[in-house]
């Protein structure tokens, strides 16, 4: 598929402090109702006192290249947008939740108004040339939105010399959140 | 067999599930349009955050006269376009359904005390009348103002003009007082707030306690992450595996209360192995030999015996400090009132920084400046002191005199003591602006006792915090999003001046502080004190800076680029100490009968079966002030008690169960707290986030969620040098009933 | 020691997925049984097993069994679909299923398949039940006479449609490879066979005593096949990826294990199989107890799989 843009997110686990500013910013920006979230924090501590390691991540929809949510959506509500993001058309959604069952990342929730919702990479902001709300507010600059089809070199620059991983690769979804370690 | 996958996922403990937060009706959500896309704001207003005391610049997004989103102001040097989680949820305060809505007056009906709704006129008249009576009888020194926060300035002006001269804040003796005094004693100046530390450029950063990342001062965390990105090596000394410790190369899980021994151990190695900045010290410091004598026996082995930190780690960090030298930084912390030895511990930190020569060097301690000082004449013109016209001070010699020789501000706890004892002169009235003394002072029984003895208490707050429950008159201030305050014109590395301006009209009958102060000034007989309205007043100040209110309202902040942060090679340095040099051994301390070189005193040990109670910050809360914030509370509605896995199991504690706490003095917590069994803390200590366990039922959301650390802090270990209240010498155990 | 803490608050996925509950389990049960009834009734029509068996049924061309099965198939499916409809979060948008056809979405296939199931199963019912003989349904007479010549063709379609629905109820879950317990190709067959066996059990329950042996035999064979498929299902799970293995262990040795082994395997498969074998060889008398057990086992299977399958984390 030839696309003008192909948005992805690069997340630096070294600097993220798990503060949740990204979650609050997202909730305000996207009117995520009480009791739900589009992004969230996972904090993993391993080892035994006093030999411990910690990893913190700010997680969200991976905007998969091979998105099972799109594959399984009977109505076409979940779809690939032309910019490399996966979006939901609320007017087409029946709330059948096939996509919730299909998403290996549990990235979606059922909005109380009946449709399913998830991170949109703040597509409405991208269209205005703005960065996503979570990216903008993150005090540690742990979150970076990149356009894989752009030749601005940002992606390469960010991963330079770093270990990059993706989540749940065996799921075959080709996720587009890239984790820096 | 089944355990295999149980282990895999049952342990995902979603710390705080929505169920506890949901259902309480979040007033902020407008009906989401089913259509795609988010509506545009009607306007964006730049102002200053006040969810904590850091004062970041925020852009408030307004639609249909509702603030629906807050974002970091791009140009503000404290935000750089970003906000901490708390700043992001500030609208939760604005729309808190439990906000104070109108003035309240305490009255007794049929022997029962209750609050009655009052008009502003009535409430302010009553205050003026009572202050008049009390000051006539006991002198103006019998009225004390407590405050914390930016909005207090107008009241300070008001009371200063009236002759009231005792102002106290918990940000001193309960927070960074020891740091200020120690750095003044060593370098001749305090480290400031925001701190004059070049964290972003540090290449080696030692944090003692300072849990950056949980302690969420926006710019400090930005600097911290930028240092990490640039490869800074971090050392964290903390009994708990903090978030910062998770980023560290070395985590030193120190035995609580022994930090000074560790610091002395490091000084010992630096001196012994001559790894300090010899040239810098020779030129700029005095007391080196005395320092060596003082730490001569603080060998790594002895340090290990006290702190529990392996010798190799002690030695390695000391050598690293020497190696990185001026680009290393031993962070002085902020809330440093821990064990009563706090000024000396901070002195040791100051000395370490001096030894590695990071003073005014990249990555070290830096010089900060003000934007443009407002000309003094203007202040005089505006706040013409009324003292002359109001000779109400009966006994001018009764100015507050601290028991502690180096207290440069008024320790709040001393006012509590004096209120109880009535000596050397009586304190009869408290005016409390924006500080919840019940939760912030520790030793609650004393605070409550003092409150009982007062003739008249006024509280200015935005919420029905516990302290307001003890007031005779409660004045509802509007939130920071609804008001002007003074210009923020502090010292910072990037000198700036920023505005706080109303984003929306004040809700209910609440009023801005300046308006309340003006009302009071009229009733108190000083009608001209605030004769300019606030906009004229701010505009006049800005004119002095070649700007105007109109301009600042638009841009939010004015700044000039940083300069003179670092010293020039060969620059002669002058320090405002008695010797004019950095005092490795403090002459002033020696003269006052204290150790000129910090000596270590062991803190009290845990009683058997008890755990030392430690506390700290959670990124999404500010003390107790956000506990009722529905937005912020959603992700953390209560605090938990961290207990070491093994120790907890020995005590038969279950992960997730709720218990009461009992401290060494037999004081039982009024509320319950959830147990969190974790590897992340030493077995001899427990930890909780401060600021929960509210007992005022008017705070409907926060009411009785979690436990307040202050409830359990009945032993205050007072720093003999400047009167700070060390809070970490308290111990708790558990009970289920 | 791993401490994993998240502040994700979304109720549908924390602490694990739980989007589908009893209504979907019932739908899967009813869908399966409806598919089974349609397959059996259509097959009997095709195999000419539907002739007059008893003097009491003089007037009818087809046995009561076939009539009941043909009639129940669309009715039960309709009830099942009502439950499915209940599960939709946005009921007003239900028509959206038919403004799109997503080749890769089983649910899309399923919703379109229902569109074929209904008319054809109803056609079959109209013909075999001879509704026009009932005065109130006289208006169906012309339909009946028009359709009658095509009955075999209709039945042929229905065998396939029935299989489709039966398999669909299993496939629906088994294609979600994000849910490792479901993600097992054999699950579709287990569901199909379980649907068939419950259909047979239902017919056995209502069959006149003379015919019981036939249905008991049918049921016996299907249950045997179902037992075989279930074994494959378990084996496939534990020899699968780490993920699938953990999921299967969770089912067979975790909190659902007692339900799975006692309700489904023992009560739903082994006991009926043994008893029906004994019945078939005439050792014991037919008891309504046996088909009831089969039905209970079948419905338990749906509940257990629906619930347990959501509790297993995806690829970790
Ligand atoms: N989110 C958020 N951030 C805040 C605030 C807030 O309310 N919320 N408040 C702000 C204010 S006013 C202040 S003063 C600062 C305070 O923030 P800091 O200065 O960072 O406060 P500390 O007391 O150093 O931090 C507590 C940490 O010290 C550890 N500790 C406890 N006892 C000891 C000990 O004996 N030795 C050592 N080495 N460590 C110990 C605890 O385990 C905990 O990790 O935070 C500021 N930032
Ligand atoms: N046990 C224990 N005690 C501590 C600490 C601890 O960690 N543990 N930390 C210490 C430290 S570091 C500090 S700095 C102090 C902080 O102590 P406080 O300053 O008392 O802390 P807050 O809980 O923020 O209380 C602020 C009060 O101001 C009100 N308020 C908020 N915004 C406004 C406003 O715009 N106008 C007005 N008028 N009122 C407002 C809030 O409702 C609240 O009642 O506590 C100290 N005490
Ligand atoms: S805002 Fe940034 S630092 Fe904070 S949790 Fe989110 S990604 Fe991490
Ligand atoms: S993460 Fe889930 S919701 Fe997002 S694109 Fe991938 S499958 Fe779809
Ligand atoms: S819930 Fe909505 S988006 Fe998800 S699969 Fe069903 S129709 Fe598609
Ligand atoms: S990109 Fe936008 S929608 Fe996605 S998590 Fe960030 S703020 Fe939320
Ligand atoms: S640090 Fe956070 S709460 Fe404090 S002023 Fe800045 S944004 Fe507001
Ligand atoms: Mo503080």
């Amino acid at each position: 598929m030839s696309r003008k843009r192909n948005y992805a997110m690069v997340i630096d686990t070294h600097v993220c402090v798990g503060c949740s500013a990204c979650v609050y910013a997202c909730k305000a920006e996207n009117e995520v109702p009480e009791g739900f979230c589009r992004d969230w924090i996972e904090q993993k501590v391993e080892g035994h006192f006093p030999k411990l390691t910690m990893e913190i991540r700010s997680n969200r929809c991976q905007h998969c290249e091979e998105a099972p949510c799109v594959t399984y959506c009977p109505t076409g509500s979940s779809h690939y947008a032309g910019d490399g993001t996966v979006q939901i058309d609320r007017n087409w959604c029946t709330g059948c939740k096939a996509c919730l069952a299909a998403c290996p990342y549990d990235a979606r929730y059922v909005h109380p108004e009946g449709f399913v919702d998830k991170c949109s990479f703040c597509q409405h902001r991208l269209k205005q040339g703005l960065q996503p709300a979570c990216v903008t507010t993150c005090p540690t600059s742990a979150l970076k939105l990149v356009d894989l089809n752009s030749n601005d070199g940002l992606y390469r620059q960010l991963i330079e010399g770093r270990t990059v991983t993706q989540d749940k690769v065996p799921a075959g979804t080709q996720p587009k959140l890239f984790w820096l370690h | 067999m089944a355990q295999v996958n149980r282990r895999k996922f049952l342990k995902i403990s979603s710390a705080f599930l929505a169920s506890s937060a949901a259902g309480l009706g979040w007033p902020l959500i407008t009906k989401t349009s089913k259509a795609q896309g988010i509506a545009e704001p009607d306007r964006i207003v730049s102002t200053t955050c006040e969810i904590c005391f850091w004062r970041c610049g925020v852009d408030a997004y307004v639609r249909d006269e509702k603030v629906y989103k807050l974002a970091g102001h791009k140009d503000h040097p404290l935000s750089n376009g970003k906000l901490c989680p708390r700043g992001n949820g500030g609208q939760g305060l604005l729309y808190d359904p439990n906000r104070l809505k109108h003035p309240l007056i305490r009255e007794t009906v049929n022997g029962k005390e209750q609050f009655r709704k009052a008009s502003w006129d009535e409430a302010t008249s009553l205050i003026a009348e009572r202050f008049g009576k009390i000051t006539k009888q006991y002198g103006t020194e019998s009225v004390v103002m407590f405050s914390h926060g930016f909005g207090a300035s107008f009241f300070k002006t008001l009371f200063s003009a009236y002759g009231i001269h005792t102002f106290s804040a918990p940000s001193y003796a309960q927070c960074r007082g020891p740091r200020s005094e120690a750095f003044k004693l060593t370098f001749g100046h305090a480290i400031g707030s925001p701190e004059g530390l070049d964290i972003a450029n540090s290449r080696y950063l030692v944090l003692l306690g300072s849990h950056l990342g949980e302690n969420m001062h926006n710019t400090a965390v930005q600097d911290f992450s930028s240092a990490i990105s640039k490869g800074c090596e971090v050392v964290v000394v903390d009994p708990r595996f903090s978030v910062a410790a998770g980023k560290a190369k070395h985590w030193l899980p120190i035995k609580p209360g022994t930090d000074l021994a560790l610091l002395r151990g490091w000084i010992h190695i630096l001196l012994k192995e001559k790894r300090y900045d010899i040239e810098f010290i020779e030129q700029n410091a005095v007391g080196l030999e005395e320092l060596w004598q003082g730490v001569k026996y603080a060998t790594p082995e002895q340090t290990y015996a006290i702190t529990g930190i392996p010798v190799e780690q002690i030695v390695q960090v000391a050598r690293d400090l020497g190696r990185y030298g001026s680009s290393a930084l031993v962070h002085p912390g902020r809330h440093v009132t821990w064990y009563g030895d706090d000024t000396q511990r901070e002195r040791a930190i100051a000395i370490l920084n001096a030894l590695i020569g990071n003073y005014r060097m990249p990555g070290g301690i830096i010089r900060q400046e003000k934007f443009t000082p407002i000309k003094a004449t203007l202040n005089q013109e505006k706040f013409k002191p009324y003292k002359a016209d109001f000779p109400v001070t009966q006994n001018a010699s009764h100015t507050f005199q601290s028991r502690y020789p180096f207290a440069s501000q008024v320790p709040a706890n001393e006012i509590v003591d004096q209120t109880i004892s009535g000596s050397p002169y009586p304190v009869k009235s408290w005016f409390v602006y924006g500080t919840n003394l019940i939760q912030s002072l520790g030793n609650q029984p004393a605070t409550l006792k003092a409150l009982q003895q007062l003739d008249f208490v006024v509280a200015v707050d935005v919420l029905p915090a516990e302290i307001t429950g003890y007031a005779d008159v409660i004045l509802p201030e509007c939130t920071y999003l609804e008001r002007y305050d003074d210009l923020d014109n502090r010292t910072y590395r990037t000198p700036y001046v920023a505005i706080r301006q109303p984003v929306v009209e004040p809700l209910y009958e609440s009023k801005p502080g300046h308006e309340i102060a003006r009302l009071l000034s009229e009733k108190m007989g000083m009608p001209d004190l605030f004769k300019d309205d606030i906009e004229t007043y701010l505009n006049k100040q800005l004119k002095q800076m070649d700007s105007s209110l109109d301009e600042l309202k638009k841009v939010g902040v004015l700044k000039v680029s940083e300069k003179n942060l670092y010293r020039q090679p060969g620059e002669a340095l002058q320090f405002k100490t008695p010797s004019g040099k950095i005092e490795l051994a403090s002459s002033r301390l020696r003269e006052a009968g204290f150790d000129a070189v910090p000596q270590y005193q062991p803190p009290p040990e845990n009683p058997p079966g008890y755990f030392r109670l430690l506390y700290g910050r959670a990124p999404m809360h500010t003390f107790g002030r956000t506990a009722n914030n529905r937005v912020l509370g959603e992700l953390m509605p209560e605090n938990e008690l961290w207990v070491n896995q093994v120790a907890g199991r020995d005590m038969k504690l279950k992960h997730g169960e709720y218990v009461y706490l009992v401290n060494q003095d037999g004081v039982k917590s009024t509320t319950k707290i959830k147990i969190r069994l974790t590897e992340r803390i030493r077995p001899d200590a427990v930890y909780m986030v401060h600021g929960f366990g509210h007992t005022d039922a008017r705070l409907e959301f926060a009411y009785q969620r979690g436990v307040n650390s202050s409830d359990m802090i009945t032993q205050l270990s007072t720093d003999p040098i400047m009167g700070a209240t060390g809070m970490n010498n308290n111990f708790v155990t558990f009970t289920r009933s | 020691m791993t401490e994993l803490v998240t502040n994700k608050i979304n109720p549908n996925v924390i602490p694990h997925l739980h989007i589908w509950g009893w209504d979907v389990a019932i739908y899967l049960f009813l869908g399966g049984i409806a598919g089974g009834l349609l397959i059996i009734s259509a097959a009997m029509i095709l195999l000419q097993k539907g002739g007059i068996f008893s003097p009491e049924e003089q007037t009818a061309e087809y046995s009561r069994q076939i009539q009941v099965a043909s009639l129940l198939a669309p009715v039960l499916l309709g009830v099942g679909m009502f439950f499915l409809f209940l599960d939709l979060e946005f009921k007003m948008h239900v028509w959206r299923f038919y403004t799109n056809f997503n080749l890769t979405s089983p649910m899309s296939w399923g919703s379109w398949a229902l569109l074929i199931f209904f008319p054809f199963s109803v056609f079959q019912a109209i013909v075999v039940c001879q509704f026009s003989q009932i005065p109130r349904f006289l208006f169906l007479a012309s339909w009946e006479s028009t359709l009658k010549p095509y009955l075999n063709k209709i039945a042929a379609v229905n065998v396939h449609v029935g299989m489709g629905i039966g398999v669909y109820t299993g496939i629906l879950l088994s294609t979600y490879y994000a849910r490792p317990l479901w993600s097992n190709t054999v699950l579709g067959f287990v569901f199909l066979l379980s649907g068939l066996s419950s259909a047979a059990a239902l017919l056995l329950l209502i069959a006149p005593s003379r015919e019981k042996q036939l249905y008991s035999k049918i049921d016996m064979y299907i249950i045997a096949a179902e037992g075989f498929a279930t074994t494959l299902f378990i084996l496939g799970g534990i020899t699968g990826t780490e993920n699938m293995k953990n999921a299967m262990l969770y089912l067979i040795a975790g909190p659902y294990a007692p339900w799975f082994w006692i309700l489904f395997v023992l009560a739903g498969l082994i006991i009926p199989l043994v008893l029906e074998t004994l019945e078939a060889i005439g050792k014991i008398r037919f008891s309504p107890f046996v088909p009831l057990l089969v039905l209970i086992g079948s419905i338990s299977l749906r509940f257990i799989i629906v619930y347990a399958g959501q509790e297993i984390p995806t690829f970790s």
Side-chain angles (χ1 to χ4, degrees), chain A residues 13-14 16 19 24 27 29 31 34-35 43 49 52 88 90 113 125 128 136-141, chain B residues 21 26 30 32 34 36 40 63 69 81-83 85 88 222 225 229 247 620 631-632 634-635 679-680:
Chain A
T13 60
H14 266 184
C16 170
C19 68
Y24 292 112
K27 292 200 64 161
E29 174 70 33
E31 299 189 333
E34 186 185 355
Q43 189 188 52
F49 178 90
L52 298 170
I88 297 163
R90 294 177 178 182
E113 285 179 35
R125 284 175 66 90
Q128 298 170 41
T136 307
T137 210
C138 173
T140 68
S141 306
Chain B
W26 194 20
T30 52
T32 313
K34 294 246 167 54
Q36 225 78 11
E40 294 289 306
R63 195 191 304 135
K69 169 187 150 146
K82 299 155 184 304
L83 287 185
N88 266 298
Q222 292 181 23
S225 76
S229 296
K247 313 273 175 216
M620 58 286 275
V631 177
L632 294 171
E634 191 181 10
L635 295 185
E679 296 283 337
R680 291 177 59 188

Side-chain angles (χ1 to χ4, degrees), chain C residues 122-170:
Chain C
V122 169
F123 290 164
Q124 179 180 317
I126 289 175
V127 177
V128 301
C129 294
Q130 295 168 308
F131 278 113
S132 53
Q133 296 184 358
I134 306 164
R136 280 181 58 202
F137 291 107
L138 203 64
F139 65 93
L140 285 172
S142 62
W143 279 86
E144 198 182 314
S145 50
T146 320
L147 290 167
K148 202 168 172 184
Y150 303 104
L151 181 61
N152 274 2
K153 293 211 170 84
I154 292 171
V157 170
N158 278 348
V159 172
H160 293 93
V161 172
M163 299 260 267
I165 289 297
V167 173
Y168 167 66
T169 59

Side-chain angles (χ1 to χ4, degrees), chain A residues 11-12 15-23 39-41 56-60 134-135 137-143, chain B residues 83-85 88 213 216 221 225 619:
Chain A
I11 305 179
D12 190 343
V15 293
C16 170
V17 292
C19 68
S20 303
C22 48
V23 183
D39 53 348
W40 60 89
I41 310 305
I56 308 179
R57 351 168 115 203
S58 162
N59 212 342
R60 55 184 59 55
C134 57
V135 172
T137 210
C138 173
T140 68
S141 306
L143 308 171
Chain B
L83 287 185
C84 90
N88 266 298
M216 205 57 217
V221 175
S225 76

Side-chain angles (χ1 to χ4, degrees), chain C:
Chain C
M1 189 52 223
T2 306
E3 288 176 35
L4 197 54
V5 179
T6 174
N7 63 7
K8 189 194 257 186
I9 49 179
N10 295 340
N12 288 123
V13 292
I14 284 289
H16 53 73
L17 185 77
H18 47 280
I19 49 171
W20 288 330
W22 62 270
D23 34 13
V24 169
I26 300 246
Y27 161 73
L28 293 176
F29 170 69
L30 292 177
I33 210 170
L37 288 171
L38 196 63
I39 295 168
I40 294 177
S41 57
M44 289 172 79
I45 292 168
L46 289 174
L47 297 172
Q48 310 271 307
K49 289 252 179 188
I52 296 161
F53 281 92
S54 55
E56 306 96 84
E57 293 169 67
Q58 291 284 345
T59 51
E61 250 180 89
Y62 294 95
S63 72
R64 211 182 64 209
Q65 298 298 94
I66 287 188
Q67 292 177 333
V68 169
S70 301
L71 189 60
L72 273 184
V75 170
L76 291 184
L77 191 69
V79 175
M81 286 188 57
F82 173 71
F83 285 117
L84 200 56
F85 175 73
L86 277 190
D87 179 66
L88 287 189
E89 305 289 340
F90 210 145
K91 302 190 174 44
M92 303 277 282
H93 275 180
V94 62
W95 54 278
R96 283 294 188 191
F97 283 110
Y98 300 105
T99 51
N100 187 62
F101 177 61
N102 183 356
L103 254 172
T104 56
S105 164
M107 210 181 257
S108 196
W109 279 96
S111 28
W112 285 98
L114 293 173
L115 277 199
I116 309 173
F117 187 102
F118 271 108
F120 279 87
S121 62
V122 169
F123 290 164
Q124 179 180 317
I126 289 175
V127 177
V128 301
C129 294
Q130 295 168 308
F131 278 113
S132 53
Q133 296 184 358
I134 306 164
R136 280 181 58 202
F137 291 107
L138 203 64
F139 65 93
L140 285 172
S142 62
W143 279 86
E144 198 182 314
S145 50
T146 320
L147 290 167
K148 202 168 172 184
Y150 303 104
L151 181 61
N152 274 2
K153 293 211 170 84
I154 292 171
V157 170
N158 278 348
V159 172
H160 293 93
V161 172
M163 299 260 267
I165 289 297
V167 173
Y168 167 66
T169 59
I171 288 285
L172 176 66
L173 297 184
S174 72
T175 48
Y176 289 120
Y177 60 82
R179 313 294 151 191
L181 179 65
W182 294 347
S183 171
N184 187 321
T185 26
V186 189
L187 185 66
F189 291 100
V190 176
F191 272 32
L192 171 68
L193 292 168
S194 158
L196 272 172
S197 76
S198 1
L202 192 68
L203 293 177
L204 170 63
L205 198 63
I206 55 171
S209 43
R210 238 168 322 107
E211 291 173 28
K212 280 204 194 290
Q213 192 163 18
L214 173 67
Y215 291 103
S216 181
K217 235 186 215 148
I218 296 177
D219 206 28
M220 182 186 79
Y221 288 127
I222 302 175
I223 289 176
E226 191 183 347
F228 181 65
T230 305
T231 315
L232 284 183
F233 172 65
I234 295 173
L235 283 177
I238 45 184
T239 56
T241 60
E242 179 75 11
N243 241 321
M244 291 173 71
K245 181 175 138 194
N246 285 337
M248 187 50 72
L249 289 177
Y250 187 77
L251 175 72
I252 61 177
Y256 287 91
W259 305 103
F260 179 75
W261 290 114
I262 297 171
L263 269 185
F264 173 59
V265 178
L266 195 64
L269 294 177
I270 296 175
I271 297 180
L273 188 62
V274 171
L275 294 182
E276 280 173 357
T277 312
L278 294 176
E279 282 170 1
I281 58 174
K283 287 264 181 207
I284 55 171
R285 278 160 44 98
F286 295 102
S287 149
F289 176 67
V290 180
L292 276 177
L293 275 184
V294 173
L295 289 171
I296 288 170
S298 169
I299 196 165
S300 313
L301 174 72
R302 292 342 186 263
F303 271 88
I304 293 166
I305 296 291
V306 165
Y307 280 91
Q310 296 180 81
E311 287 179 22
I312 317 289
T314 61
F315 307 84
S316 25

